[in-house]
Amino acid sequence: MPGPARKRRRPYVAVLRVGHRPGRDPRLTTHLALTARALGAHRLYLHPPDPELAGRVAAVARRWGGRFEVVAAPAWGGIVREFAGLRVHLTMYGEPLVRVLPRLREARRVLVVVGGAKVPPDLFQTADLNVSVGSQPHSEVAALAVLLDRVLGAPPASYFRGARQRIVPARRGKHVVARPAARSR
Ligand code: SAM
């Protein structure tokens, strides 16, 4: 008889965004960071750095919990070369996600690299895997969301430890509760 199902260890996932254009597409990169955080990634390396954007994401994390951070990456090459784990470049030209999914799930650490308007050609060589979410052009936010969901599944509530407020899922309307203040003696 099969024994009790063992809980799968979730890999540590970091995301590297290359080709961000500070001042030109803050909304798209903010959405990328918030998606990475909400779906279970641990950090986002941002190239080139954008301290204002990093500050806005940090404010969200303070309010909604967890340890997600945006880390400045003045040079992206070193982040990819020195990452101790599986380096995955999301590109519509890559191998289908479904084909490489077992490798991603078994890895202890995964770096997911996404491009912007332009993608440095070296990335195709430096990455361990070039992976597509459908062989059609769409968006880095969508591609990242699908990959994280397939690799990590739903993040546990404990992932957002220290939240100042949390949502109570409701059929209708908005139900948000504040964290009870720490008791003083
Ligand atoms: N023109 C760019 C190029 O040379 O690949 C594509 C830019 S696309 C707007 C921005 C990013 O979205 C890509 O670098 C990639 O990370 C991601 N992306 C878009 N479509 C994808 C797909 N089908 N599969 C995986 N990633 C995709």
Side-chain angles (χ1 to χ4, degrees):
M1 230 170 55
R6 258 211 268 141
K7 250 183 148 184
R8 186 169 69 85
R9 185 183 40 75
R10 291 152 55 90
Y12 167 96
V13 178
V15 178
L16 166 62
R17 197 288 196 267
V18 295
H20 168 63
R21 296 174 298 182
R24 277 189 71 184
D25 45 14
R27 202 151 179 273
L28 183 57
T29 303
T30 303
H31 286 182
L32 187 76
L34 295 181
T35 300
R37 173 187 169 272
L39 297 190
H42 290 75
R43 62 166 51 169
L44 176 96
Y45 293 104
L46 184 54
H47 170 78
D50 184 339
E52 248 180 63
L53 188 151
R56 281 199 303 276
V57 174
V60 171
R62 275 196 298 280
R63 195 161 157 208
W64 294 99
R67 294 177 161 221
F68 185 84
E69 55 180 351
V70 173
V71 178
W76 64 267
I79 306 274
V80 179
R81 278 192 303 277
E82 287 156 30
F83 185 80
L86 189 64
R87 291 133 343 142
V88 176
H89 170 212
L90 272 174
T91 164
M92 64 183 182
Y93 304 104
E95 316 182 64
L97 174 61
V98 65
R99 195 189 289 167
V100 294
L101 199 50
R103 276 188 72 184
L104 269 72
R105 286 184 168 169
E106 279 160 20
R108 295 187 83 81
R109 291 166 54 84
V110 178
L111 177 69
V112 183
V113 188
V114 300
K118 283 202 181 127
V119 178
D122 307 6
L123 203 44
F124 287 84
Q125 311 306 325
T126 329
D128 299 309
L129 295 171
N130 291 294
V131 175
S132 67
V133 176
S135 303
Q136 299 291 327
H138 49 85
S139 143
E140 51 271 48
V141 181
L144 179 68
V146 171
L147 180 142
L148 291 175
D149 184 62
R150 299 279 161 84
V151 174
L152 300 176
S158 60
Y159 182 80
F160 301 102
R161 227 170 249 144
R164 290 184 189 161
Q165 60 183 47
R166 69 181 173 86
I167 290 170
V168 180
R171 276 201 172 163
R172 289 201 176 83
K174 303 175 185 176
H175 190 182
V176 180
V177 291
R179 183 178 63 182
R183 267 200 231 143
S184 54
R185 280 201 254 168

